[in-house]
Amino acid sequence: MSYGSPAFWIVMAAVSAGFGALHGVLFHDGPTLVGTIYGTCVGVLMIAYERGLFLAAYSRRLRQLPTLAYFAAAEISMAVLIVVAMSATGVVIWALGIADKPFLEAVTPKLHTVPFALAVSALIVTVLRVRDLIGSETFASLILGRYHRPVSEERVFLFLDLVGSTAYAERHGDLAAQELLKAVFAAIAEPVRRHRGQVDDYIGDQVIVSWPLARGIERARCVACVFAIHRALERDRERWLARFGLVPELRAALHGGSVVTAEVGVDRHKIAYFGDVMNATARLEGLCRETGRSVLVSDAVLARLPALPEGIEAEALGDHRLRGRSETMAVHALAQARAPVTAVSSGHRTGVVADRKPDHAARPTRPQAAAGVPGRSAASA
């Protein structure tokens, strides 16, 4: 549930209304309609400010201040916004005749209300930032205790790796390389969110994204996400060139299957995935270098897709023995179609649901010897 979705704002409005009702319980004879309206309006406005929907440039400048100065300025700004929000809500309530109060009383915040609103706003903002830090789905899983005990489940994993990041760091320094990575990771976030994936981890210049298997293969979301990321980077070509002198390129590997998901850690908790699927996906991403292809997908994922996204075609690269695995893996390269395609190999019709399982023998192939492929060590999300 991203902050761009209606569900997010409905939940936030409900939470804010609840705190408005709580204010009535604490300071009056009980919850009132007026208190609920005040709570909803003030809460939604503060969350919109914190999410950068307005005064975003001002918020960025505040974050550049030294820590103590930032906290002081942030609290003052929040207090001013609360007073403005309460006054504006009071005007609306008075104009609609919801509260039988004189105008001045309706638009003047009570002395005890501002500290209460500040405390509630700080609590909600803190929870949202923790949620942002670890991911919305991970946050929900930790709160609900979904993975207190290890659970076996099927997931699709996407490993993304920034091409040439080491060389960029050698030329421009680690700080400049970190700025590049930060910008690339920010550009990746929106397509992942739009295709209902979750960013599980950042490992150096690599991003690990995953979906529950059913969600990832539905409408080929996992594949569509990869090419949406490529399009997003290409769309901002001029901005990338002006800022960094290059347009980021990513290698991508898609693989899926059964993993064990569990909550791990003592002082720092996280949701981690265990199993051969993680190792195999990391090795598959390493195979991109060997094959010279930017997007590879395992047969385990491709065979389950109802159809490839429109304009995407698959090419069989044969079986490869990945390092650390005794069995070979059938690998396919994905790319934008160079010409109008009426039928993609393996029974996948571009943009059309296939009515049979893929016939891998029908996929276009090219000679490719199976070979051990160097790759990263296993990664946990």
Side-chain angles (χ1 to χ4, degrees), residues 15 38 45 59 106 131 156-157 168 173 185 202 205 222 230 234 237 290 292 303 314 316 335 348 375:
V15 170
Y38 270 105
L45 180 68
S59 296
R131 174 182 177 270
V156 178
F157 290 92
Y168 186 88
F185 293 164
Y202 300 100
D205 58 0
C222 57
H230 281 290
E234 186 62 30
R237 164 178 286 272
E290 294 287 321
H348 292 274

Side-chain angles (χ1 to χ4, degrees), residues 140-153:
S141 295
L142 289 173
I143 294 297
L144 297 174
R146 188 177 302 162
Y147 298 116
H148 283 342
R149 294 182 178 181
V151 174
S152 179
E153 60 181 2

